[in-house]
Amino acid sequence: MKKIDIIQHILGERCNNIPQLHPVTAFAPSNIALCKYWGKRDRELNLPMTSSLSISLGDHGTHTTLSISHDANDSIVLNGEVIDLSTAFARRVIDFLNLFRIDNKIFFHMDTHSTIPIAAGLASSASGFASLTLALNELFQWHLTKRDMSILARFGSGSASRSLWSGFVEWQRGERDDGMDSVGRPLDAVWKDLGIGLLIVSDKQKSVSSREAMARTIDTSVFYNLWPQKVAHDLEHIKQAIAEYDFDLLGKTAESNALAMHATMLTAWPPISYYLPDTIQMMQTIWQLRADGLPIYFTQDAGSNLKLLFLRSDLSAIKSVFTPLKIIFPFD
Ligand code: PMV
């Protein structure tokens, strides 16, 4: 099945909508998975092997302004800088935009501003593709539901399917081959005291994309067979932790889930490691603080940075250890 067939199915007659002439702007939050999406069962449609669950980062994410270009090609501005169209970043955006051109005759100008470092494992592609999907919906006046937009955003980046909502979001794996049931679903829960700290170890671009790392892991890691079982267990515990505001259960499940994901990568061939020496050192600091009685946990995506999980009451203790630290209370 091809993406374009799914898009035609979702848009129907609206495939031919004429875009608005004025620029439109949309925002989508970044999200951090507490139970990770790691591995695709369908690489064309970005269908995941398992469900996943994330927390959106409030007003931290991506603002995207989109308009129709008068030139005969697309133009992309990222954080104020014009992007060369031959870069991997531009290629990914253009491939996504290719899905939405009417008769291949229109070109876009995209001006995007991310409030978090790009491609440092801080989920910038999730908020980027979700905000671009929202902007396309506005530009073409499709009036789609978030559920449908979550399917379209998934074609840009899997985790983008969770960035259409704030708060906790589950991306349900779904069962269908066409992925029409593989969508984000917000959880009805508010956890005012839950804090996230972004611990930037390095803001350099990662050397192996998450797409490539997932594929290599599935193809070569003996541990990958255990991953769906691990996710089933962790998802259940994370949902229980959220329902009962059980911070220790949330933290330990999220941390263990991230470590298990990285273990599948270490056992891939050629091996993949997103760990830098400072990443390991920070983990050891966190484990020591926990042993000393401070409830703090971490999670890590496809990058060297760590995301801390803590409660508001421990904010000053945490700030005194980790500087600089970007603090976010997702429900403020
Ligand atoms: O959405 P992608 O293709 O960038 O993959 C995201 C993968 C992780 O960030 C490692 C996990 C997740 O669920 O966000």
Side-chain angles (χ1 to χ4, degrees):
M1 187 122 2
K2 291 262 182 264
K3 287 176 190 148
I4 203 75
D5 301 322
I6 309 294
I7 291 172
Q8 272 166 8
H9 175 73
I10 290 175
L11 294 180
E13 290 290 295
R14 291 170 291 189
C15 267
N16 299 316
N17 278 14
I18 303 297
Q20 308 223 55
L21 291 176
H22 60 269
V24 298
T25 298
F27 168 79
S30 196
N31 76 73
I32 285 173
L34 301 169
C35 183
K36 309 294 185 190
Y37 146 56
W38 196 246
K40 303 175 205 280
R41 68 178 198 275
D42 181 323
R43 292 179 191 179
E44 158 73 13
L45 297 182
N46 265 357
L47 294 179
M49 286 285 194
T50 69
S51 298
S52 57
L53 196 150
S54 62
I55 175 84
S56 289
L57 298 187
D59 55 8
H60 292 78
T62 305
H63 298 265
T64 294
T65 301
L66 193 66
S67 57
I68 294 299
S69 168
H70 301 297
D71 303 328
N73 54 7
D74 296 318
S75 51
I76 301 172
V77 176
L78 171 63
N79 293 337
E81 205 181 298
V82 177
I83 300 295
D84 185 325
L85 297 185
S86 64
T87 58
F89 176 87
R91 288 298 341 149
R92 243 183 118 180
V93 172
I94 292 169
D95 283 350
F96 185 72
L97 290 173
N98 283 346
L99 300 168
F100 303 101
R101 298 181 207 278
I102 307 169
D103 301 332
N104 289 328
K105 279 196 198 113
I106 56 169
F107 292 96
F108 299 93
H109 175 65
M110 180 181 108
D111 191 341
T112 192
H113 183 84
S114 174
T115 57
I116 41 168
I118 301 291
L122 287 174
S124 50
S125 67
S127 56
F129 283 107
S131 65
L132 182 53
T133 304
L134 285 160
L136 284 162
N137 180 57
E138 187 70 26
L139 193 73
F140 286 100
Q141 296 280 291
W142 290 328
H143 304 291
L144 293 175
T145 60
K146 284 196 175 180
R147 188 182 192 279
D148 280 347
M149 282 191 271
S150 138
I151 295 174
L152 301 186
R154 158 160 56 79
F155 294 158
S157 160
S159 53
S161 65
R162 300 184 306 239
S163 266
L164 274 311
W165 294 270
S166 55
F168 296 107
V169 181
E170 180 178 7
W171 171 15
Q172 294 171 319
R173 173 194 191 279
E175 296 302 326
R176 294 172 57 136
D177 288 343
D178 64 4
M180 288 301 291
D181 56 352
S182 187
V183 290
R185 184 187 69 95
L187 268 64
D188 185 19
V190 172
W191 196 334
K192 290 292 276 181
D193 289 335
L194 181 65
I196 308 275
L198 303 183
L199 197 54
I200 313 282
V201 171
S202 161
D203 62 4
K204 296 236 163 57
Q205 295 261 339
K206 54 194 175 198
S207 53
V208 185
S209 69
S210 49
R211 181 174 301 201
E212 188 190 330
M214 278 182 209
R216 200 189 299 172
T217 304
I218 290 190
D219 293 344
T220 63
S221 169
V222 283
F223 283 4
Y224 191 79
N225 286 342
L226 296 171
W227 177 247
Q229 238 168 286
K230 170 74 178 151
V231 169
H233 170 275
D234 290 350
L235 262 182
E236 195 184 314
H237 283 87
I238 286 176
K239 285 184 193 167
Q240 184 192 337
I242 293 169
E244 295 171 2
Y245 300 105
D246 182 339
F247 177 70
D248 282 314
L249 182 60
L250 183 89
K252 93 175 179 205
T253 312
E255 185 174 304
S256 151
N257 184 269
L259 288 164
M261 178 182 78
H262 285 273
T264 67
M265 289 186 242
L266 288 172
T267 46
W269 199 263
I272 304 155
S273 167
Y274 289 107
Y275 297 132
L276 290 177
D278 283 350
T279 315
I280 309 262
Q281 206 194 325
M282 292 299 174
M283 284 181 184
Q284 283 168 346
T285 304
I286 291 162
W287 290 330
Q288 186 58 52
L289 287 169
R290 212 153 68 216
D292 294 344
L294 186 67
I296 170 177
Y297 297 87
F298 68 82
T299 182
Q300 181 188 4
D301 290 298
S304 59
N305 301 310
L306 297 184
K307 290 89 184 213
L308 309 183
L309 303 169
F310 58 90
L311 288 173
R312 198 186 295 268
S313 48
D314 295 316
L315 178 60
S316 54
I318 280 161
K319 271 165 80 175
S320 69
V321 181
F322 300 100
T323 44
L325 184 67
K326 178 112 192 107
I327 308 275
I328 298 164
F329 285 100
F331 294 97
D332 271 359

